[in-house]
Amino acid sequence: MALLICCEGANKKDSFNLNEARKDSAVTIVEKDKLEDAILSNDSLDFESNRTSIEKSIVSETRFALNNENGVPYYNSQIGVFIEGFDVGKDGSFYFLGGDQEAILVKYTGRKVQFRKKYPDINPSSFYNINDSTILMLNKKYSKNELFWVDSRDGAIINSFGKIIENKINSCHFTDSTLIVKAFNITDSTSTDTELGVLKFDTRGNLLGYAENVNNVKNEIVRIGVSERGVAGNWMLGIWNGNYLKLIQEINGHFNLYVIGTDGNIIEVRKFDSGPVWEALFGSSYKLINNNLYVMRQENMEVVISIFDMEELHPPQLVQE
């Protein structure tokens, strides 16, 4: 998916004490079946006194210059700066995909460039680091809709699969090792409002079937935390400790971090004040890996990667084992 980007150490708790947890001003424990109603109505719990600043859980930040010659590649349009893809490897390496006239893939370890690869005939629109050895890239330029495997060590193309779909693709992204595609004129899965359907493919471009939504989760999970008055933002961050993590921004600007079981039950909710890092999610990308949440945003002509400690965002004593 094309991303329009807008221009210390954590204290770990090793044991769980329910009484101590109830005293924690950042955590509210209530009966599960009453939790969501209390959050949406806000009439039975004083959540304002339980808010914490999201910036408290930032472990570190790394900055890179936006530059198509020797920095993070980007596409400059009339409405803003686009980065086509951002990912993080298990070793903490950063991958950026962008470029103006041609696609450029750059890998950083720390602030050191490991490789910088140009693809003159390809305009990948999404990519994903499968297992730190292979990167998936989809080229939808001129509706070619080709899927490529790329070596994460040097950016060389090692396999390709095309054309995976005839229909024109509107947008695409990878969730885990599944490619999710929003395409036009998909029979039986097309919205009458947008004429778009959602399909899912495996890593070899084989069609797996229809997806309920672009997050490839049950629709009821997507709707959790969304009140009748609506929300300002709704993000599925990924899976952590076997549970879904979801972030909701309320109309008033505050944020709710949901921990949701695979059965759709809410396990916990934490409330955060708004802040520049969370607010940047509107025009940024993120990756949940290595017990950290990486959020990419832009400040002027720099890319900033903020790393959040998940043990601070979600205390270990409330995690379902």
Side-chain angles (χ1 to χ4, degrees):
M1 179 189 299
L3 302 166
L4 174 60
I5 59 176
C6 315
C7 293
E8 285 268 319
N11 294 320
K12 310 275 193 310
K13 299 179 181 178
D14 299 322
S15 61
F16 172 50
N17 182 293
L18 181 60
N19 292 327
E20 290 299 316
R22 291 184 185 278
K23 296 177 184 177
D24 188 340
S25 63
V27 179
T28 301
I29 303 176
V30 297
E31 295 179 28
K32 187 186 301 183
D33 59 351
K34 298 179 181 177
L35 184 55
E36 187 169 12
D37 289 340
I39 293 160
L40 296 181
S41 65
N42 209 21
D43 56 6
S44 60
L45 294 172
D46 181 12
F47 278 116
E48 295 307 313
S49 64
N50 292 319
R51 290 193 177 277
T52 59
S53 171
I54 192 69
E55 275 72 22
K56 290 181 181 178
S57 56
I58 296 179
V59 176
S60 65
E61 287 189 337
T62 305
R63 293 175 177 266
F64 302 93
L66 279 169
N67 190 305
N68 281 330
E69 296 301 321
N70 53 25
V72 172
Y74 66 95
Y75 170 70
N76 194 12
S77 73
Q78 294 181 346
I79 61 174
V81 174
F82 287 85
I83 291 181
E84 296 287 354
F86 165 70
D87 210 337
V88 182
K90 293 180 181 178
D91 62 353
S93 295
F94 298 132
Y95 298 84
F96 298 97
L97 183 67
D100 228 342
Q101 302 300 320
E102 58 187 356
I104 304 171
L105 177 63
V106 180
K107 176 182 180 179
Y108 285 90
T109 299
R111 294 187 54 82
K112 182 180 179 182
V113 175
Q114 295 299 309
F115 72 77
R116 186 179 195 86
K117 184 73 173 180
K118 296 183 178 181
Y119 307 89
D121 301 321
I122 300 176
N123 182 22
S125 53
S126 186
F127 82 134
Y128 177 76
N129 185 4
I130 307 178
N131 53 16
D132 279 338
S133 64
T134 307
I135 297 170
L136 295 181
M137 295 199 308
L138 181 68
N139 177 29
K140 65 186 184 76
K141 187 176 183 180
Y142 306 129
S143 296
K144 290 182 177 180
N145 302 340
E146 301 164 299
L147 184 63
F148 293 92
W149 288 10
V150 175
D151 193 322
S152 65
R153 295 171 298 181
D154 56 13
I157 295 174
I158 54 179
N159 211 341
S160 63
F161 309 90
K163 180 178 195 177
I164 67 169
I165 184 175
E166 293 291 336
N167 305 59
K168 183 179 179 180
I169 294 176
N170 172 265
S171 63
C172 58
H173 69 280
F174 291 94
T175 60
D176 297 322
S177 57
T178 304
L179 171 63
I180 305 298
V181 169
K182 288 180 70 176
F184 292 93
N185 302 318
I186 303 298
T187 306
D188 298 331
S189 181
T190 300
S191 165
T192 56
D193 297 327
T194 62
E195 298 183 350
L196 292 171
V198 184
L199 300 174
K200 52 187 178 181
F201 298 82
D202 66 14
T203 58
R204 292 180 173 271
N206 297 311
L207 179 64
L208 299 176
Y210 297 114
E212 289 191 41
N213 49 68
V214 294
N215 297 296
N216 198 28
V217 298
K218 296 177 181 178
N219 283 329
E220 50 264 35
I221 293 177
V222 175
R223 290 191 290 266
I224 287 176
V226 180
S227 66
E228 292 183 358
R229 59 183 177 271
V231 295
N234 186 352
W235 300 272
M236 293 295 301
L237 299 180
I239 296 177
W240 185 62
N241 283 7
N243 300 311
Y244 294 112
L245 284 184
K246 178 180 180 178
L247 187 69
I248 291 285
Q249 185 181 24
E250 300 171 351
I251 298 298
N252 62 11
H254 291 153
F255 291 86
N256 304 325
L257 180 66
Y258 286 78
V259 182
I260 306 168
T262 54
D263 57 2
N265 288 325
I266 300 171
I267 297 172
E268 183 208 354
V269 180
R270 293 195 69 186
K271 309 278 282 188
F272 298 96
D273 293 322
S274 61
V277 177
W278 259 182
E279 290 166 359
L281 277 172
F282 277 112
S284 64
S285 186
Y286 46 85
K287 175 75 175 204
L288 184 60
I289 192 172
N290 297 341
N291 205 42
N292 291 319
L293 176 65
Y294 296 78
V295 178
M296 178 191 73
R297 71 186 193 278
Q298 183 196 359
E299 291 182 359
N300 299 316
M301 285 301 288
E302 285 187 323
V303 167
V304 183
I305 309 298
S306 298
I307 305 175
F308 294 89
D309 186 337
M310 290 306 303
E311 300 293 345
E312 287 295 296
L313 281 175
H314 178 60
Q317 66 264 28
L318 296 182
V319 175
Q320 271 194 342
E321 297 296 342

